[in-house]
Amino acid sequence: MRPGAARTGGLAALVAACLGCAVDPSPSVDTTCKKTPPTGPYRLDANAGSVLPDLSLPGIGEGGSGPVHLHADYHVPCAEAAQLLVIRLVGGAWCGTSRWHGQHTSDLLFTPRIRVIDVVTSDAENNPAGTFALEAWRAFVNRPNQIATVLDPELTLRGLFPPSGAPLPLYVIVDARTMVVRGWMSNPDPDTLHHQLASHLAALDGFAPPPPPKVFRWDGLFTRDQWDLIRQITPPGAPPPDPTNAVADDPQAAAFGKALFTDTGLSRTNTVACVTCHDPKKQLSDGLPRALGVGEGDRRTPRIALAAHAPAQLWDGRADTLWAQALGPLEDEHEMGSSRVSVARRIATAHAAAYRAVFPSHALPDVTRLPDHAKPGDAAWLALPPEERDRVNQVFVDVGKALAAYERTFRVPETALDRYARSEFDALTPRQKSGLSLFAEHGCFQCHHGPRLTDDAYHVTRMATGRRDGKADRGRLDGLAALLASEFRADLRWSDRKSTFVAPSTHPRLLGAFKTPSLRGVAEAAPFGHGGTLATLVEVTELYGQGGLPAGDPRTVGEIEPWLPTFDVTSQWALPPILETLGGAPLAPGL
Ligand code: HEC
Ligand code: HEC
């Protein structure tokens, strides 16, 4: 589609009014009419003023069909008045700041002289984008049919980011008559975005730029978009329903789960329970770099007060329900070191009445006919008749479901940040406010947003491994393989409502990616990172400021995401005060 002059002409005056810039309603036509210039390199840092490459990208064009050809569809060499092509790199539905811009697209961008292409690299979990990612993103865009959306799972447009990184969305402004890149804006506030676009059009038409806008700031600090993201920080209440667990909200199951959570008899050594590592006095974590159970693990224990809200569990997302997660530590050789047969035996001997009350239709196995220990992989497990294995598996799964019912009762207290987000402007000190302001400016809201301050997605931030062998942790790439192999997935036999499982691609971009943790409770929960290698919050912000561990450092793998900006020491020290407000003991009945 070539809009050409049809999109300009008499509409120019209208646009000028919209954007507040003066444009001659009858501009002179350039009769020499520039031809398509040669394509060239497009690193913005080196080549502001270079020509946008002539790419064809799969996706949905303005008319509803794809693919989208940058030059064939958008180059209008003979347009009478200036036109802009705005390439907006949005990441995907995981990204808090991009979502804000998507929701306000029609206020921000729709004028006849500006056409927009959204570039989606990933889906809601930050897996490389496919068709679902396109739909997930378009759900956030108001009037999606008026813009094009393209997929770029291989990050071919990575070169549009400055080398120091820049938060999403990244607006790249192109003169549609020459396809020359004029500049870019990273996560601009709406007033500045308007002003910049109007200035580009004015300059191309030979007019002076409009006067700079008066940017309104909430509490004298926060722009409209930033304040909207702050307002979304509300204290999380009850978790969303979990239809895969029939006893998820059964109080009797929660009481049974509570007894299991503290029962050291479920471990091989009779010394370790869930509560050993998820201690309510330590934000339901343990304060250690590496978890210490019957042995030492390779990762840091996460805070679990809000685990029931997350669509997937563990640093690498290898469990897709809370109940399936609970089965892992019971059999893990470093955590509780037990086996499902020993767990069934423990239930039959120490918790039979509670079990029968919660699961009246499930029979406990006859423990006299069972070996002491057995789990898949053991000869003793294979030697059991299939119906006996089924009965053991049933009890094992039920233990997970009761534990999950208990974990679903956990709550977190309100924080000073929650009160500030409700417009109690004196709830934060000036230092905390400036921390929050930098949190917004440096794009932390991309991933840490909403009530729990997480996007529930997986990212490469290049934090160090905690593995005892010192090797880099492969994160999501291995987690996905484990999920694919799991017998306890939400779409399989043991789930009370089978969900549809769409296996995400095992793409190299998942190498070294980890689940974004909720920041609630972070104030009292050192050390940090999946490997527990960052002792203080300043060490965390220092690492972000430097763009993660440098390329080639053997303690980590994966490529840092180009939307993570680097920043200086001043910000590194100024950010922690806002994180320090995110504390307070987690709450649960009788914790
Ligand atoms: C030895 C210490 C230890 C014990 C015991 C332990 N955990 Fe954990 N827990 C961890 C570690 C370490 C992780 C992260 C592991 C990973 O991601 O690979 C974790 C992760 C979790 C998560 C996922 C949280 C998230 O944000 O992804 C939940 C939920 C959880 N544990 C619940 C339990 C329950 C229930 C039990 C008892 C059956 C238990 N844990 C026993 C150390 C422990
Ligand atoms: C691209 C997504 C992304 C952005 C942007 C981001 N984070 Fe994170 N954050 C993560 C992920 C993923 C982790 C866990 C990484 C790991 O352990 O390997 C994390 C971990 C953290 C932790 C440690 C929490 C814990 O329990 O260990 C803190 C604190 C934190 N981020 C603060 C920030 C701040 C401050 C900013 C802005 C400067 C920021 N994050 C920007 C994704 C992001």
Side-chain angles (χ1 to χ4, degrees):
M1 180 168 101
R2 271 177 190 277
R7 292 177 67 93
T8 58
L11 292 170
L14 179 70
V15 180
C18 287
L19 293 173
C21 68
V23 173
D24 182 349
S26 54
S28 60
V29 180
D30 176 3
T31 47
T32 59
C33 181
K34 299 180 191 77
K35 297 283 172 279
T36 308
T39 58
Y42 59 102
R43 280 209 72 94
L44 274 184
D45 50 311
N47 281 294
S50 67
V51 172
L52 192 74
D54 186 9
L55 298 174
S56 291
L57 294 160
I60 304 180
E62 284 170 22
S65 61
V68 173
H69 309 285
L70 295 188
H71 282 224
D73 296 345
Y74 289 90
H75 185 205
V76 286
C78 299
E80 292 165 33
Q83 288 189 33
L84 298 178
L85 164 61
V86 173
I87 298 191
R88 182 166 70 171
L89 288 99
V90 292
W94 55 268
C95 178
T97 46
S98 297
R99 276 154 65 148
W100 188 90
H101 281 254
Q103 277 155 356
H104 295 86
T105 295
S106 55
D107 314 348
L108 298 172
L109 290 168
F110 285 146
T111 86
R113 287 173 64 188
I114 294 175
R115 295 170 73 201
V116 189
I117 303 175
D118 274 351
V119 180
V120 175
T121 55
S122 337
D123 66 10
E125 290 185 346
N126 197 28
N127 297 309
T131 321
F132 285 111
L134 204 78
E135 283 157 20
W137 168 252
R138 284 169 75 88
F140 285 100
V141 179
N142 57 2
R143 298 206 265 158
N145 296 331
Q146 296 184 28
I147 62 174
T149 316
V150 298
L151 294 175
D152 186 20
E154 305 303 328
L155 296 179
T156 55
L157 293 176
R158 193 185 179 105
L160 290 173
F161 284 87
S164 55
L168 296 166
L170 187 76
Y171 286 83
V172 178
I173 317 295
V174 182
D175 172 359
R177 288 191 297 200
T178 59
M179 296 311 264
V180 168
V181 175
R182 293 184 53 84
W184 56 274
M185 278 175 277
S186 161
N187 189 23
D189 71 82
D191 298 315
T192 305
L193 177 64
H194 270 257
H195 179 254
Q196 285 290 311
L197 294 173
S199 301
H200 282 295
L201 284 172
L204 287 168
D205 284 334
F207 297 101
K214 240 188 138 87
V215 178
F216 175 78
R217 289 181 186 270
W218 286 84
D219 196 18
L221 285 168
F222 297 105
T223 55
R224 186 151 57 93
D225 52 322
Q226 292 174 342
W227 185 250
D228 277 353
L229 283 154
I230 293 169
R231 280 197 312 167
Q232 289 171 16
I233 307 172
T234 52
D242 179 5
T244 70
N245 178 359
V247 299
D249 296 306
D250 173 351
Q252 229 177 339
F256 178 33
K258 185 180 171 194
L260 297 171
F261 197 80
T262 48
D263 181 9
T264 52
L266 288 167
S267 70
R268 177 166 51 78
T269 50
N270 289 313
T271 54
V272 181
C274 309
V275 76
T276 312
C277 304
H278 299 288
D279 180 348
K281 291 191 208 68
K282 296 179 181 159
Q283 287 292 345
L284 290 161
S285 177
D286 51 16
L288 301 170
R290 290 188 197 109
L292 204 56
V294 299
E296 196 178 23
D298 286 314
R299 286 180 181 163
R300 196 206 85 209
T301 307
R303 304 173 293 282
I304 59 167
L306 295 169
H309 293 251
Q313 302 299 324
L314 301 156
W315 284 106
D316 53 17
R318 67 185 185 280
D320 61 359
T321 60
L322 195 57
W323 57 266
Q325 187 289 322
L327 306 177
L330 293 164
E331 289 193 329
D332 185 282
E333 54 171 326
H334 305 300
E335 296 189 17
M336 297 169 78
S338 188
S339 68
R340 60 194 68 182
V341 163
S342 325
V343 169
R345 179 185 296 285
R346 176 74 184 164
I347 300 303
T349 52
H351 300 280
Y355 181 81
R356 286 201 189 94
V358 179
F359 303 102
S361 62
H362 296 171
L364 280 164
D366 175 1
V367 291
T368 58
R369 302 222 308 260
L370 291 175
D372 280 351
H373 292 284
K375 61 183 183 188
D378 302 349
W381 176 253
L382 282 175
L384 284 174
E387 47 306 342
E388 206 65 25
R389 278 188 249 155
D390 270 2
R391 255 197 291 275
V392 170
N393 273 335
Q394 181 68 69
V395 178
F396 192 49
V397 162
D398 291 343
V399 164
K401 289 178 180 168
L403 280 163
Y406 175 52
E407 293 172 276
R408 288 173 61 80
T409 66
F410 297 169
R411 298 288 182 272
V412 291
E414 189 183 74
T415 67
L417 180 55
D418 294 317
R419 292 200 300 281
Y420 185 71
R422 283 200 310 256
S423 301
E424 285 178 28
F425 288 151
D426 56 2
L428 294 181
T429 65
R431 278 182 73 231
Q432 291 163 344
K433 287 182 195 181
S434 68
L436 183 57
S437 179
L438 291 166
F439 192 89
E441 199 176 301
H442 293 311
C444 310
F445 274 130
Q446 294 174 99
C447 306
H448 298 286
H449 63 83
R452 289 174 292 128
L453 291 147
T454 173
D455 58 355
D456 296 315
Y458 303 85
H459 296 278
V460 179
T461 60
R462 291 186 65 83
M463 293 186 185
T465 183
R467 284 174 56 136
R468 284 154 301 148
D469 64 7
K471 288 201 180 120
D473 193 325
R474 290 160 46 93
R476 180 65 174 152
L477 201 58
D478 289 350
L480 202 50
L483 177 63
L484 289 169
S486 168
E487 63 187 305
F488 298 121
R489 249 185 8 235
D491 57 317
L492 301 179
R493 170 175 181 194
W494 300 106
S495 166
D496 294 323
R497 168 103 59 85
K498 319 275 178 283
S499 59
T500 338
F501 181 68
V502 184
S505 71
T506 47
H507 191 281
R509 269 181 58 200
L510 305 182
L511 180 64
F514 291 89
K515 192 175 70 172
T516 311
S518 163
L519 294 183
R520 290 210 181 246
V522 86
E524 294 133 14
F528 305 105
H530 70 271
T533 54
L534 300 156
T536 61
L537 288 169
V538 171
E539 285 185 28
V540 176
T541 52
E542 212 176 353
L543 192 72
Y544 274 114
Q546 294 161 0
L549 289 173
D553 191 310
R555 290 169 295 169
T556 189
V557 276
E559 213 174 332
I560 191 106
E561 296 173 15
W563 38 81
L564 276 155
T566 51
F567 43 82
D568 64 12
V569 252
T570 324
S571 288
Q572 290 165 24
W573 284 95
L575 274 160
I578 191 61
L579 303 173
E580 283 155 14
T581 65
L582 295 164
L587 320 164
L591 251 185

